[in-house]
Amino acid sequence: MNVQSKNSGEETRFVDGSEYRGTWNVLGMEGIGKFVLPHNAIFEGEFRDGTFHGHGSLYFPRLQRIDGIWSQGECKDKRYTFNDGLIFRSHNWDYCRFPDRRYQTCIKYGLRPGGATLRTNDRNEFLIPPTCYDAGIGIFNPCKYHIVSHQDSKKVLEIPNTKFTRWIQKNCQKAWSEPTGNRKDLYENWFPDKFDTKFLSTLLPFSNESFEPWWKRLTTFRSDCKEKTLTDERNKHFQNLIESLVEFR
């Protein structure tokens, strides 16, 4: 093992570019410490025999975090947190699903008004160049087969494999619009066969009214608007007729 220093508490740099600051014993890293990997991910926690062992947190350059319990370098029990604070659950994952389809950004900072709603979880939406896709972590260019930074088009972040490329082209936002037609694969089985529709009103966070009036307003809104337009036209016609009669007299 080639290191620059090996005193407890001092920063130790390895030949592969990784760094360690913490406690040691005769076998290596032991106790509590901070380990910086070559790609700038950082582990803070407990060590034993030179490996992650015990409680610790792994921080990624894009601000994601894994908190977990480690055993000889392997994470046995973990909790993953996205860079926006959303905690991932492997079971009963209901994020962005009915009845609450809000992004984490909207949950934290509130919904935007109509006309300014977010199309993604990022409050700073970026313009997608022609023929490209927004892959979330950056812009995917199918001609060059790489993902570049939203802020710097010359900074390559990743070269996606074939599987990831197909997923991006199928699911991610495009720079252009195209008709999708009937997409049954996008349907969701929201309710069981014997679901009580009156229970829906209790699931809607934005309405305290009963299910039937809300649903009726939703389905008759267009016809109501049309009827109102016709009524306004009739009133205008009668008003013009009365004015004509007054002038005639």
Side-chain angles (χ1 to χ4, degrees):
M1 179 175 62
N2 296 322
V3 298
Q4 290 184 350
S5 66
K6 199 175 178 181
N7 296 325
S8 178
E10 293 185 2
E11 182 177 298
T12 302
R13 183 169 299 175
F14 299 87
V15 293
D16 63 352
S18 57
E19 301 174 0
Y20 174 74
R21 179 186 291 271
T23 56
W24 297 79
N25 67 3
V26 293
L27 298 177
M29 297 178 291
E30 183 85 10
I32 303 296
K34 175 181 178 181
F35 189 87
V36 182
L37 285 81
H39 57 282
N40 292 326
I42 300 174
F43 176 84
E44 291 183 331
E46 298 177 291
F47 292 80
R48 179 181 293 179
D49 296 336
T51 63
F52 305 160
H53 191 87
H55 292 83
S57 298
L58 184 62
Y59 302 88
F60 294 91
R62 295 174 186 160
L63 305 181
Q64 307 98 317
R65 185 179 80 251
I66 293 179
D67 303 307
I69 300 176
W70 308 74
S71 177
Q72 297 179 347
E74 183 179 355
C75 189
K76 296 294 186 179
D77 188 14
K78 61 181 178 294
R79 183 182 71 177
Y80 182 85
T81 305
F82 294 91
N83 57 5
D84 57 7
L86 177 66
I87 298 175
F88 175 75
R89 297 197 309 268
S90 57
H91 301 288
N92 299 323
W93 178 250
D94 57 358
Y95 174 63
C96 258
R97 294 179 64 87
F98 185 85
D100 190 353
R101 287 186 171 275
R102 292 176 298 170
Y103 292 117
Q104 176 69 4
T105 299
C106 298
I107 295 174
K108 291 175 63 177
Y109 303 105
L111 289 171
R112 289 188 175 184
T117 53
L118 293 176
R119 293 179 296 176
T120 68
N121 190 47
D122 195 338
R123 288 192 295 173
N124 301 315
E125 295 192 38
F126 299 93
L127 181 65
I128 306 176
T131 73
C132 295
Y133 299 77
D134 185 356
I137 60 174
I139 299 297
F140 171 67
N141 188 329
C143 299
K144 298 182 179 180
Y145 289 97
H146 63 205
I147 299 175
V148 298
S149 170
H150 287 106
Q151 294 85 359
D152 185 1
S153 60
K154 296 182 180 180
K155 183 179 180 181
V156 178
L157 301 178
E158 186 174 342
I159 307 296
N161 56 27
T162 302
K163 183 178 179 180
F164 189 21
T165 298
R166 291 175 179 172
W167 185 89
I168 293 173
Q169 293 175 329
K170 180 180 179 181
N171 297 283
C172 292
Q173 184 180 356
K174 309 176 181 65
W176 66 97
S177 299
E178 61 183 21
T180 61
N182 186 13
R183 291 281 305 276
K184 290 186 177 181
D185 58 306
L186 298 179
Y187 294 172
E188 293 179 284
N189 185 18
W190 291 345
F191 311 116
D193 296 335
K194 297 182 179 180
F195 180 77
D196 184 5
T197 54
K198 293 183 179 180
F199 179 65
L200 180 62
S201 62
T202 64
L203 299 178
L204 297 175
F206 46 82
S207 175
N208 293 324
E209 300 184 27
S210 64
F211 170 78
E212 292 179 353
W214 173 81
W215 183 256
K216 185 177 180 181
R217 287 201 310 274
L218 182 65
T219 55
T220 62
F221 176 75
R222 183 173 298 178
S223 60
D224 290 344
C225 291
K226 183 177 180 180
E227 182 65 27
K228 184 178 183 301
T229 302
L230 292 175
T231 302
D232 293 341
E233 291 178 353
R234 293 193 193 101
N235 293 337
K236 185 177 181 180
H237 173 73
F238 288 132
Q239 183 66 29
N240 293 336
L241 181 60
I242 293 173
E243 291 177 356
S244 299
L245 291 174
V246 171
E247 292 178 0
F248 178 76
R249 292 180 63 183

